[in-house]
Amino acid sequence: MSSKISGRVSPQPCPHLLDFCSRNGSKPFRALQDCIRVKPPGGRAAIRREPFEVPRCGTCDESSRPRLYACVACAAVFCHAPPIHSHASAHALSVPGHEIAVDVDRAELFCCACRDQVYDRDFDAAVVLAQTITSTTSTSGSTVTQCKATGSQPDNLRKRRRVDYSLWAPNSRENAIIENHSIPLHDATNGSLISSTELPWGLRGLNNLGNTCFMNSVLQALLHTPPLRNYFLSDRHNRYYCQQKNGATRNGSKNSRFCLACDMDAMFSAVFSGDRTPYSPAKFLHSWWQHAANLASYEQQDAHEFFISMLDGIHEKVAKEKRKTHSPGTGDCCIAHRVFSGILRSDVMCMACGFTSTTYDPCLDISLDLEPSQGVSGKSSLAKSNNSCNVEADCTGSSQNCGISTLKGCLERFTRAEKLGSDQKFFCQKCQVRQESLKQMSIRKLPLVSCFHIKRFEHSSIRRMSRKVDRYLQFPFSLDMAPYLSSSILRSRFGNRIFPFDGDEQDACNEVSSEFELFAVVTHTGKLDAGHYVTYLRLSNHWYKCDDAWITRVNESIVLAAQGYMMFYVQKMLYYKASEKQAASWCDVRK
Amino acid sequence: MSHSHELVIKSSMSRPPPPPPTTNKDQQRQNPSLQEINIKLIQSGEKERLKELLRERLLECGWIDEMKALCRAFTRKKGRNNVTVDDLVHVISPKGRSSIPDSVKAELLQRIRAFLASTAD
């Protein structure tokens, strides 16, 4: 009876549970479901009892034991306090058929003979249902069951099924085509310029054109973003063809004059040509100025702002050409979204009635706040007591223990349920008034490349009042995003339950791999208005510092100690989707 | 692992409460037993409120994450199918009890005392 959902195995029922279910009809826990009480609304589930009722163990009359179980068969309550004693187990052993009990405080099933928690799908579904108040309207997709039934989740996620990777090698005819239409990278024409073995292919300095390190740093990261690099190097956006097409429209419209994707294509060609002399991305800068006119100056800019702006620029041009409507999350519109676009889920729960409103929004990156001031008494004393005890577990799992800000800690805080202030009351559709609410973010769909932006610059409306947060942030080389996915966040909201997340089966093709690898770090040093951006790139597991025109190999310890501003992680495993078109050529398969 | 919270409450409650300041009236009254305190807390609903507060504090200071990590490490070592709830409770209880921040203990004790004082006959 154990099934695999998104890699999760549902626990096998023990023989006693199986026996109980077989003896008690199709809905063995039906009566128990009526006894579930959820307090406060949307909060924890427990077994309902009278307000003045104090559950006591039927054997020893104790009420202060940590765990009290009510036998599902006879409703008698017993305590379970190993290793001292367990009257619950004694009851189970003495009366056959009375092994299954329910925790009165937690509404969780327990087998007193096996002395372990057991799970029943129907019972857990009933508990989850009780915890999420159902509403009659299905539009906002508030409840779990409604999400399952009506598919209020973004439906463009279900489009294409996953296909198995099949190795491709060119046959002789294809080889001939390739040879005739491409320039081998190790050709003798540029032989004199190719450096020996010092730097790997594709590393080339970028000249600073006047405070343009903000642009150079982001460009270096993008030039080595695997899916983006592969796209341009495999000629998916041919700049000659694109310019030819757009040269036809000479009506003077702004769009026909520049194309950021073409400039990217030119840059990729230049950077991967083998020429090691620093490249000047002047054309790209000029095109970007056309797109982001308000940022066109030689002043220092924010690298993150540039990043978003240029992705936007690529999208505007490319999506318009392809005449694709902006379908958030799938990235069908342009390469920028294909690589970087993910979907965030936001749940806002009314604290008065429990009604939850869910919305999905696409995102190109995730902006994270640094922790507020450290040294709160609770945290510091935990760290103290930590040192005196033998810590078995990996310390990096819990960021607060070590007293250092970590990327994982930021992500944990990002996905933590947060009480919205009383000045931010949310309009509850059920109550029809503004109520205090609980908000929780989670990641519905992971992008191919996750860019984490650390909010180090605090701007106020008057620019002079901005400041920079210099606090060090620890970031890992490998990152598992599973705990921050909507499926994980929702599961943890309901505790120990069998919880099939909506669209789990379909999710299998999108989210089987949640493991990411770091490949680029954009760092900032200096002050807000007078600072410098530098990018560290990871190629073949070596780290390289890209400081405008100067590229040097560095030790990974330098990177780990750097002040990360934007961190780029790429999915470790890439999956193929069946092509939309009838004739599936190799270039349609996403890689 | 919310089970561990209860064990902690219990251990702090097993320490006898300090004797109330003696007045003529108090000398006639005995110290309430653990059972009596517990019943009062449950019946008034205060125990649930205290549990919620405790959960919040333990989440904030990373204690819950730490216990989860211990459970995961233990489960990985023993194998997922060879671990019961009782095993986990047994494994993390000593560490759990000893790593509760003093500030959290103090806050809860203070609240319990305040509650008992406010409901004194």
Side-chain angles (χ1 to χ4, degrees), chain A residues 390-406:
Chain A
N390 194 20
V391 184
E392 289 171 40
D394 187 12
C395 184
T396 55
S398 178
S399 52
Q400 286 98 325
N401 286 349
C402 309
I404 303 173
S405 297
T406 66

Side-chain angles (χ1 to χ4, degrees), chain A residues 37 44 49 51-54 56 61-67 80 82 103 105-106 114-117 377-379 381-382 385-386 389-390 392-393 398 400-401 412 419, chain B residues 2-3 6-7 10 34-35 38-39 42-43 47-48 51-52 55-56 59-63 65-66 69-70 73 77 80 83-86 89 95 98-99 101-103:
Chain A
R37 175 208 67 178
R44 311 182 78 83
R49 64 177 97 113
F52 264 60
E53 185 189 333
V54 177
R56 290 170 180 281
D61 213 32
E62 268 291 332
S63 62
S64 58
R65 297 264 180 253
R67 287 150 77 188
H80 182 71
D103 187 317
D105 288 322
R106 299 178 189 85
C114 300
R115 294 182 167 230
D116 194 16
Q117 200 153 349
S377 62
K379 291 180 188 174
S381 60
L382 178 67
S385 61
N386 214 2
C389 298
N390 194 20
E392 289 171 40
S398 178
Q400 286 98 325
N401 286 349
E412 275 161 30
K419 265 185 216 149
Chain B
S2 52
H3 303 285
E6 328 299 331
L7 294 164
K10 191 185 172 212
L34 189 60
Q35 275 265 40
N38 188 46
I39 290 168
I42 294 175
Q43 287 184 327
K47 191 170 188 188
E48 275 209 40
K51 275 202 216 176
E52 275 305 321
R55 276 191 202 102
E56 210 178 300
L59 178 72
E60 278 165 14
C61 73
W63 184 92
D65 291 327
E66 207 191 329
L70 282 176
K77 240 193 307 189
R80 201 206 325 236
V83 171
T84 67
V85 165
D86 284 354
V89 170
K95 178 81 215 298
S98 61
S99 66
D102 291 336
S103 57

